[in-house]
Amino acid sequence: MTRLSARQRPAPDANADHDQAIEVSGLSKRYRDVDALVDASFTVNYGEVFGYLGRNGSGKTTTVRVLTTLTTPSAGAAQVAGNDVVTAPHAVRAAIGVTMQDAALDPQMTGREHLELVLALWGHTRSEARAQANELLTAFGLDQAASRLIGTYSGGMQRRLDLASALVNGPRVLFLDEPTTGLDAQSRRLVWSRVRELRDQGTAIFLTTQYLEEAEALADRLAILVNGRIVAEGAPDRLREEHGPTTLRIRLAAGQPAPPGFAPSSPDTWFEQPSPGTEDSLRALAQLRDAGVDLFAFQLNQPSLEDVFVALTGTTARASDR
Amino acid sequence: MTIHAAQPPRHATHRGGSTGWRKAIRDGALIYRRSLAQSLRAPVFAFLFPSAFPVLVLLLMSELYRDLANVPGFPAVSVAAWMTPGVFLMAAMFGAGYSATGLITDLQSGYLDRLRLLPISPAAILLGRLAFDVSRVAVAGLVVLAVGVLLGAEMTLTGLPVVLALLALWTLAYGGLFYAVGLRTRSPESLGALIPLFMPVTMLSTAFVPDALVPGWISTLSAVNPYTYLVEGVRMFTTGSFSFGELGLAVAAATAAMLVTQLAAMRSFASLVAGD
C-alpha cells in the first residue's frame, strides 16, 4: 500500500514558476474493451477557465479521474501543476482541488464535521480545523446549516459544501466535474461567480459541463469531446469562426420573392444566406440596395456554441436542450 | 460574498514532520471518529444487532437443551454456562459485515474517491474501520457475557481483558472475510449472503455440544475449525480451568485465521486505491 507522509508532500507553491497548469499529450484510457478517452492533448494556463464540453458518456469524467490521479492512463502523459499524474500523484493531489459529480458527501455527517475531517486530513490541528471550518461555512453561506446532517441539504448547498472542501488546501488547479448539473438557476449563478473569482485570483479551472450556456458564460477556452475524442479546441469565439456558419438575414416587405442567393427563412418575410465573412455580407447588402430591393431590416447572426456543437457532432449537446 | 483565500496547511512544519506510521494512526483515528459518529446516529445495526441475536440464541438454546446437563459426563454446571463462550464470540460474527458494508457503500457512492483525493494514508481507511469494529463488537460481547453470567456462567475480572482480546482477534479474523469478499465483489448484497455462514461455523465446533457427545465426523471438522479453539480459550475463563497451552492455541488459531482474511482484504483494498 502506498504510504503518504506529510514530509513527502512538497509545499503547494513548490512549482509556482511552472507556466502551464495542465499539460496533456496523447492521453488515452481504455476500460476493458471500451475506449473512454482517445489521444487527448491540450494545455490549461493559470488564471483560465478551460471548459470541457460533451454529452454524458463522452469521456469527461474519465479525463478528470486521470488528471486527478484517481485512475491511471492507458497511454500518454499528463502533468498537473508541474507534476506527472502517474509518477508523482501525491504532489499532484497536494496542488489540486476537486469536486466530482459522482463523489458523494457522507449524508450521515454534518457540514461542519465534514469540513473538520477534510481539514484534519490536510494536517491541521483540531483547533485550526475548527476555526477554518467556521470561516469556510460562513464564506459559503452554510453557517446556519453547519450542524445539520448533509443528507438534509439541498443540491445547491451540497455543491457549495463540496466546493468549500475543494478549496481547503488553497489549490492552484481546480477540477469541477459538472458543478452545476441539477442546480436551479440561482445556485448556478452563484457557482459561476465563485468560479470567476477564483480564476481572477490566478487559479486554473478545468470545468466539465454538458451545458452550452455554461461553457459560453465561463470558459476562456474549451474543448469539445465526442465519444472520447477531442473534436475541437480553442477560444469560444475562434470555434464559432471556424466551425459555426455565420448567417446574413434580411427582412423584406410581405409578398416579395427571394432575392438571388437568398433562401426563405422564418418568419416568412425573412430570407437568409450563409456569410463567409463581414465583407461578403456588406457586398451582398450593397447589391440588394443597388438592385432596388426594399430592405426593412438585416442581421448578421453569429453562430452559437450550440451551432458549433451541431456542426461538429451532428447532434445537440443534450437531448433536453431547448 | 467573497471567498477567503484558504490558508494552506503547514505540510512541512506540521509537528516537525510525521512519519508514515504516525500519519496512518492519526488518520485512522479520524476515520474511527467518523465511524463512531455514524454508528451513534444509527445504533440499531451498529450495536443492537450484534448483541440482540446472540442473547436470543443463548436464552433459547440453553432452554431448549436444558436437560443436556443431566447427561453423564456433561462438563459444565448448566447448558447456559457451557454455551456462553461460543455465543459471546458470536457477537463478532453478527457484527461482521456492518463496517465492510459501509466501506462498499463508500466505494459505490464515490466517498472513497473523495478520501483518496485527500492526503490520507490508505492504510488508515481500513485501520480506522477495523479498530471501530473491535470496539463496537466489544460492547456487544459484554452484553452477551452479562446475560451468560446471569444464567450461571463464571467470569473473573482478571479474565475479562483476556476474553475481550480473544473477541477482538475473532472480530478481525471473521470480519476480514467480509472485507475480502466485499472488496472483491464490490457489492453489499454479497455480504448479506455471507451472514448464514455463522451456522456451520458455530455448529461444527464445541460451542453448543461437548466434543464427547457429538458424532465422529463433526468432531473431526470441529478440530480444524479455528472457532473451536477460540471457544475453548474463552471457556477456560467461564469454567475456571486456565492453561497457557490452551490460551496459546486460541491465540494461534485466531491469528492464523486473521492473517488469511485480512491479507486478502488488504490486497484487494490496495489494488482498489492504486487506481484502475
Side-chain angles (χ1 to χ4, degrees), chain B residues 34-270:
Chain B
R34 175 192 171 220
S35 303
L36 183 65
Q38 255 182 347
S39 68
L40 292 176
R41 282 177 183 133
V44 171
F45 275 105
F47 294 103
L48 195 64
F49 193 58
S51 46
F53 195 87
V55 164
L56 202 65
V57 168
L58 187 57
L59 290 173
L60 295 181
M61 295 275 271
S62 63
E63 273 303 291
L64 189 64
Y65 294 112
R66 194 180 55 194
D67 292 343
L68 197 67
N70 302 330
V71 173
F74 189 79
V77 287
S78 70
V79 172
W82 177 260
M83 286 183 179
T84 295
V87 179
F88 166 71
L89 289 165
M90 259 188 175
M93 300 159 92
F94 283 96
Y98 169 85
S99 260
T101 307
L103 184 63
I104 305 310
T105 308
D106 278 357
L107 171 65
Q108 288 181 330
S109 72
Y111 191 83
L112 200 61
D113 282 340
R114 184 180 286 282
L115 286 181
R116 286 175 59 206
L117 287 167
L118 295 167
I120 190 172
S121 150
I125 298 174
L126 267 189
L127 284 179
R129 284 192 173 273
L130 290 172
F132 178 67
D133 282 342
V134 166
S135 53
R136 190 173 54 86
V137 167
V139 172
L142 285 173
V143 172
V144 178
L145 207 55
V147 174
V149 168
L150 287 177
L151 294 177
E154 288 176 35
M155 193 66 230
T156 60
L157 273 182
T158 46
L160 198 58
V162 183
V163 298
L164 284 176
L166 289 174
L167 181 66
L169 280 177
W170 186 234
T171 302
L172 295 175
Y174 196 80
L177 182 68
F178 283 69
Y179 282 100
V181 171
L183 285 168
R184 193 156 278 255
T185 61
R186 302 190 182 184
S187 95
E189 290 81 5
S190 68
L191 299 181
L194 269 184
I195 291 176
L197 184 69
F198 84 92
M199 290 224 292
V201 172
T202 55
M203 287 180 177
L204 302 176
S205 79
T206 57
F208 296 128
V209 179
D211 196 46
L213 302 179
V214 297
W217 69 273
I218 288 188
S219 178
T220 308
L221 288 178
S222 163
V224 295
N225 184 351
Y227 173 70
T228 300
Y229 298 94
L230 274 144
V231 169
E232 294 305 328
V234 174
R235 188 168 279 146
M236 296 188 303
F237 297 95
T238 59
T239 56
S241 59
F242 181 80
S243 102
F244 275 109
E246 204 134 2
L247 183 63
L249 270 180
V251 171
T255 307
M258 181 183 79
L259 283 177
V260 170
T261 60
Q262 288 294 345
L263 285 178
M266 282 172 187
R267 251 184 50 181
S268 299
F269 189 70

Side-chain angles (χ1 to χ4, degrees), chain A residues 65 93 108 126 128 167, chain B residues 6 10 33 41 113 116:
Chain A
R65 289 185 69 85
R93 289 179 198 180
Q108 300 271 45
R126 202 186 271 222
E128 283 172 354
L167 297 177
Chain B
R10 295 169 289 161
R33 270 227 301 269
R41 282 177 183 133
D113 282 340
R116 286 175 59 206

